[in-house]
Amino acid sequence: MDKTVRLWHISRRECLCCFQHIDFVTAIAFHPRDDRYFLSGSLDGKLRLWNIPDKKVALWNEVDGQTKLITAANFCQNGKYAVIGTYDGRCIFYDTEHLKYHTQIHVRSTRGRNKVGRKITGIEPLPGENKILVTSNDSRIRLYDLRDLSLSMKYKGYVNSSSQIKASFSHDFSYLVSGSEDKYVYIWSTYHDLSKFTSVRRDRNDFWEGIKAHNAVVTSAIFAPNPSLMLSLDVQSEKSEGNEKGEDAEVLDTMPSGIMKTDNTEVLLSADFTGAIKVFINKRKNVS
């Protein structure tokens, strides 16, 4: 909100570099193949591709339309395109090489109260499948196919009407997770297991698991990118605690067993509006 982007090295206390903007900076993303570059989106309606070594803007473009406010940004297709989300519910794609306009998606429903586009709060690529996951303030998460801009799946169940909550994938992309304004963490399978259902719309996913995780709006929830790194820490904490169970351990037990199909232990991190942070570990039970 001080109209800057600040760059740190994770092992140093001081800021390495400060990149000045002319309005609030709402979204940033490192280039996935070249970390000398990052994309920034601002409320001034400009997206900028910054060259870090040169400490200056390499390329920029401006959003068209009445509402120019940029609220989300990322790269997709391994850096081929930069994509930004707007306050009025558009996802706009630019080719990264020249930052020229490519195409756009209007993120909205065909009818009902969600036919007006709402603020885009998150954009996540699904690698290898030419798809992106878009979170917006109509309490919907949508998976779009970038080959024809069609809607592959719509996820419902959580509440996101005004927050900057965004959904993201698990490390193996089988699941997605999101915080919610109703104090829950929500988890969906990325795709239906259609064998379980006799009649279900293939492009609608209303089947979710919810964890009552917090006592305030869950502003962020993510899967650990490498859950095996957490295993040794978990073993150490078990040894120190013995058989005692605290309140958080009871919450942990409410997470449905067998929800995850992978052999790995799954680790979830969630945080809320009051500053509370929780770690959930879902251990896959070995069936002998």
Side-chain angles (χ1 to χ4, degrees), residues 6-276:
R6 291 170 189 260
L7 179 73
W8 283 269
H9 189 284
I10 56 169
S11 65
R12 297 184 191 174
R13 284 178 177 272
E14 71 280 359
C15 171
L16 299 181
C17 192
C18 187
F19 303 87
Q20 197 71 42
H21 292 64
I22 57 176
D23 207 334
F24 292 175
V25 184
T26 51
I28 49 171
F30 274 112
H31 192 291
R33 287 184 293 110
D34 189 344
D35 62 8
R36 295 174 302 168
Y37 293 91
F38 72 87
L39 185 72
S40 72
S42 169
L43 294 187
D44 66 0
K46 290 186 172 71
L47 63 151
R48 298 169 172 91
L49 188 68
W50 293 82
N51 181 312
I52 295 173
D54 292 347
K55 300 181 181 178
K56 66 181 185 182
V57 176
L59 298 164
W60 66 276
N61 206 333
E62 190 167 7
V63 176
D64 63 351
Q66 280 185 304
T67 309
K68 297 185 176 188
L69 308 177
I70 297 172
T71 54
N74 213 331
F75 290 92
C76 62
Q77 293 184 327
N78 202 24
K80 185 178 180 184
Y81 295 107
V83 53
I84 57 106
T86 66
Y87 189 81
D88 58 357
R90 290 176 291 158
C91 275
I92 309 173
F93 296 80
Y94 302 83
D95 79 85
T96 305
E97 191 178 351
H98 304 291
L99 222 57
K100 290 281 189 286
Y101 173 85
H102 175 63
T103 189
Q104 65 180 312
I105 299 171
H106 286 270
V107 180
R108 60 189 181 198
S109 300
T110 51
R111 61 182 184 276
R113 62 189 179 93
N114 291 333
K115 68 180 179 182
V116 176
R118 313 266 187 212
K119 180 178 69 171
I120 306 296
T121 60
I123 298 167
E124 285 284 320
L126 179 57
E129 293 210 32
N130 276 343
K131 292 180 181 178
I132 58 163
L133 190 71
V134 179
T135 317
S136 54
N137 273 163
D138 59 358
S139 297
R140 300 289 183 269
I141 303 162
R142 295 171 175 87
L143 186 66
Y144 286 99
D145 192 321
L146 298 180
R147 290 169 294 191
D148 57 4
L149 305 184
S150 63
L151 182 67
S152 294
M153 190 72 73
K154 185 196 287 186
Y155 306 89
K156 297 162 67 174
Y158 83 126
V159 183
N160 180 25
S161 59
S162 60
S163 304
Q164 194 67 23
I165 293 167
K166 73 173 203 173
S168 58
F169 292 104
S170 61
H171 67 289
D172 62 358
F173 307 106
S174 334
Y175 299 93
L176 55 123
V177 65
S178 177
S180 177
E181 291 170 4
D182 64 3
K183 308 174 186 178
Y184 276 73
V185 171
Y186 285 81
I187 303 170
W188 297 260
S189 287
T190 305
Y191 297 109
H192 291 300
D193 180 359
L194 292 168
S195 64
K196 292 180 182 175
F197 309 108
T198 50
S199 60
V200 63
R201 283 194 62 167
R202 289 168 183 262
D203 60 348
R204 299 288 182 273
N205 194 333
D206 305 340
F207 305 100
W208 45 263
E209 301 283 359
I211 309 166
K212 173 65 170 70
H214 292 265
N215 296 315
V217 170
V218 183
T219 50
S220 187
I222 55 170
F223 280 99
N226 191 342
S228 60
L229 288 176
M230 301 290 290
L231 289 177
S232 56
L233 298 173
D234 183 39
V235 170
Q236 287 168 20
S237 66
E238 276 187 356
K239 284 180 182 174
S240 62
E241 286 176 17
N243 292 323
E244 290 179 21
K245 271 198 175 183
E247 178 193 343
D248 287 355
E250 288 172 25
V251 172
L252 196 62
D253 287 347
T254 64
M255 190 163 178
S257 60
I259 175 179
M260 307 299 179
K261 284 185 280 195
T262 56
D263 292 330
N264 299 331
T265 293
E266 297 285 345
V267 178
L268 259 180
L269 185 72
S270 61
D272 72 22
F273 202 74
T274 68

